[in-house]
Amino acid sequence: EAQVTQNPRYLITVTGKKLTVTCSQNMNHEYMSWYRQDPGLGLRQIYYSMNVEVTDKGDVPEGYKVSRKEKRNFPLILESPSPNQTSLYFCASSGSFNYGYTFGSGTRLTVV
Amino acid sequence: DQQVKQNSPSLSVQEGRISILNCDYTNSMFDYFLWYKKYPAEGPTFLISISSIKDKNEDGRFTVFLNKSAKHLSLHIVPSQPGDSAVYFCAASTGNQFYFGTGTSLTVIP
């Protein structure tokens, strides 16, 4: 089944403790992206990647890092999480920059 | 500042009637527009898209209209079905950067 898999689905962590949210897709897509969803703000793009080793900032990249060492994986790294990064995070992938993305099921992150 | 706006947080429609969801944008450089549907506890699902060089795109019950002069996008669902009840997000892109609206919650009443 074609899908984008994110892990974990739920995560509660403490301020300053580094964490990684993994994202993997099995569709051989070039394009991958991370979003956060917050009430009243919709989805905001954090980072995107056009291919292996090619990444760029989205609308809200502060406090996040990404890497794309393999085509299928696009992890989101929070080096020093803060409470304002408490959010619902989505990873997505697409075979073309001008086509709809396939989204993962989301990761609910709480930073206390 | 929100570049893509969905001013109606919610919409209720009778089954079988037309649902019209609206979206406005501010950036004239956007060249691609999309609609996604989202159910609770799931990621958004791509519905339909339109390029800025077109003014209409149709896919089954779903039609997207683009009015570039008004910077306005709409999604028409005809006929509406109870399974269409979800949150609908419009999105716009320039290059690889995507901007989403805040969503409209559609309820289709049987």
Side-chain angles (χ1 to χ4, degrees), chain A residues 9 31 35 37 40-43 45 48 50 57-59 90 97-101 103-105, chain B residues 2-3 32 34 36 38 41-46 49 89 93 95-102:
Chain A
R9 288 294 306 272
Y31 297 85
Y35 295 86
Q37 183 184 5
L41 295 175
L43 287 96
Q45 192 176 35
Y48 59 91
M50 292 78 78
K57 296 177 181 178
D59 204 25
F90 290 102
F97 77 94
N98 63 349
Y99 195 71
Y101 274 69
F103 280 76
S105 299
Chain B
Q2 199 81 13
Q3 298 194 47
Y32 193 61
L34 311 91
Y36 286 84
K38 186 181 182 302
E42 294 182 13
T45 302
F46 170 66
S49 62
F89 290 96
S93 73
N96 287 298
Q97 293 207 320
F98 284 79
Y99 298 88
F100 281 74
T102 52

Side-chain angles (χ1 to χ4, degrees), chain B residues 47-48 57-64 75-77 84 88:
Chain B
L47 264 180
I48 191 169
N57 189 27
E58 202 169 345
D59 184 2
R61 297 186 297 114
F62 302 92
T63 303
V64 56
L75 174 69
H76 292 207
I77 306 173
D84 295 329
Y88 288 78

Side-chain angles (χ1 to χ4, degrees), chain B residues 1 6-7 10 14 18-19 23 34 72 81 88 92 99 101 105:
Chain B
D1 190 31
Q6 293 176 258
N7 293 316
S10 62
Q14 288 289 136
I18 184 171
S19 295
C23 180
L34 311 91
H72 181 79
Q81 300 173 354
Y88 288 78
Y99 298 88
S105 179

Side-chain angles (χ1 to χ4, degrees), chain A residues 3-92:
Chain A
Q3 60 185 359
V4 176
T5 303
Q6 296 178 228
N7 281 298
R9 288 294 306 272
Y10 301 92
L11 178 60
I12 301 174
T13 190
V14 296
T15 299
K17 185 177 181 182
K18 181 180 179 180
L19 67 91
T20 299
V21 183
T22 64
C23 174
S24 181
Q25 51 95 0
N26 63 0
M27 296 165 281
N28 201 36
H29 284 167
E30 280 79 26
Y31 297 85
M32 297 187 75
S33 194
W34 274 103
Y35 295 86
R36 60 178 289 175
Q37 183 184 5
D38 301 289
L41 295 175
L43 287 96
R44 292 180 293 167
Q45 192 176 35
I46 303 170
Y47 269 95
Y48 59 91
S49 170
M50 292 78 78
N51 214 323
V52 175
E53 303 291 2
V54 183
T55 63
D56 206 348
K57 296 177 181 178
D59 204 25
V60 288
E62 296 78 20
Y64 305 94
K65 283 176 59 176
V66 293
S67 69
R68 188 94 182 271
K69 293 185 171 59
E70 305 166 280
K71 197 172 187 179
R72 62 183 293 125
N73 296 323
F74 190 44
L76 179 69
I77 303 155
L78 285 74
E79 296 268 4
S80 183
S82 63
N84 65 11
Q85 292 178 297
T86 291
S87 187
L88 178 58
Y89 291 87
F90 290 102
C91 179

Side-chain angles (χ1 to χ4, degrees), chain B residues 24-41:
Chain B
D24 297 298
Y25 61 95
T26 57
N27 189 343
S28 58
M29 298 302 291
F30 287 144
D31 54 9
Y32 193 61
F33 302 88
L34 311 91
W35 284 94
Y36 286 84
K37 177 168 75 172
K38 186 181 182 302
Y39 293 117

